[in-house]
Amino acid sequence: MAHENARAGYSKLFTAQVLSLIAALCTLLMLIPVVGTIIGGLASGVLLIIGYIMTLVGLNQAGKDEELVKSAFTLAIIGLILGIVGPIVGSLVGVTWVASIVNLLNTIINLVITHHVLYGAINLNSALSDNATSTWKVILTVIILDIVVTIGLIITAILGGSTAGGVVAIVVIVLTLVDVVLDVISYIKYLVFLNTAKKEV
């Protein structure tokens, strides 16, 4: 097999994406009072942690065959460190919107990681080019919307309870609902690509 490490790595990325999708669906259980909140929150959290670990392992393994994916692994580690250190720093300095800035940085990092996974697959097999490009366009749209929502949350936190803050908060709520729908579409599109890539890289 020409790219044994890459195929094994992309297979793990596929499994991680499946877990992320299930975790997103588990959040629907949180609509059920009390019990649903506990079960849905716990199930979602556990699946996301397992999925993230599998993503790191998959990136590391596939990165042995492809430099772009290797860079994606490094970025994933940086994102993990930011996710841990950011909230701690925010609580120490007493600035609540630090977490939102960390989320924004991680959103950008995840965008680059996704790009590297998609185009790393193209480097391994040029026949995946059209599939990767169309998937990238959908994911890019979702990520841009994620960034807009995160910026809106930062602005809302800064403006507080003012009228302008209230208007921004309403816009953020609407965009968040649209974002949730597009996130599901993005998950499925990326999942389909990874399912193909794990066989063809």
Side-chain angles (χ1 to χ4, degrees):
M1 191 179 294
H3 304 117
E4 186 174 352
N5 287 316
R7 288 196 177 190
Y10 273 85
S11 181
K12 288 182 178 66
L13 291 176
F14 171 76
T15 302
Q17 194 68 17
V18 170
L19 292 176
S20 295
L21 181 56
I22 295 172
L25 294 175
C26 281
T27 59
L28 295 176
L29 293 173
M30 297 175 73
L31 296 174
I32 303 171
V34 187
V35 177
T37 301
I38 296 171
I39 296 174
L42 183 61
S44 178
V46 170
L47 289 172
L48 285 174
I49 291 171
I50 295 172
Y52 195 81
I53 292 170
M54 288 200 73
T55 297
L56 290 176
V57 173
L59 289 173
N60 184 49
Q61 192 165 12
K64 294 175 182 177
D65 287 343
E66 216 300 304
E67 285 299 317
L68 272 179
V69 184
K70 185 177 181 180
S71 298
F73 172 72
T74 302
L75 287 170
I77 295 298
I78 293 171
L80 178 62
I81 294 170
L82 275 176
I84 294 171
V85 174
I88 294 173
V89 172
S91 63
L92 289 176
V93 299
V95 181
T96 56
W97 45 265
V98 168
S100 294
I101 292 177
V102 170
N103 286 338
L104 177 59
L105 289 174
N106 267 330
T107 297
I108 295 170
I109 287 173
N110 287 332
L111 174 62
V112 178
I113 289 172
T114 303
H115 172 275
H116 286 5
V117 168
L118 291 168
Y119 285 86
I122 293 175
N123 291 340
L124 292 164
N125 183 355
S126 59
L128 292 169
S129 180
D130 289 343
N131 193 347
T133 302
S134 64
T135 301
W136 171 245
K137 288 177 181 177
V138 174
I139 291 173
L140 184 60
T141 301
V142 172
I143 295 295
I144 289 172
L145 189 54
D146 283 342
I147 292 172
V148 171
V149 168
T150 303
I151 291 173
L153 290 172
I154 294 171
I155 293 172
T156 301
I158 293 173
L159 294 176
S162 66
T163 303
V167 172
V168 173
I170 292 171
V171 173
V172 167
I173 290 170
V174 173
L175 289 177
T176 300
L177 292 175
V178 175
D179 191 36
V180 168
V181 175
L182 289 178
D183 266 337
V184 173
I185 295 172
S186 171
Y187 271 134
I188 294 171
K189 182 77 172 169
Y190 191 42
L191 187 64
V192 170
F193 172 80
L194 290 174
N195 187 47
T196 303
K198 71 178 184 176
K199 303 169 187 173
E200 299 184 10
V201 292

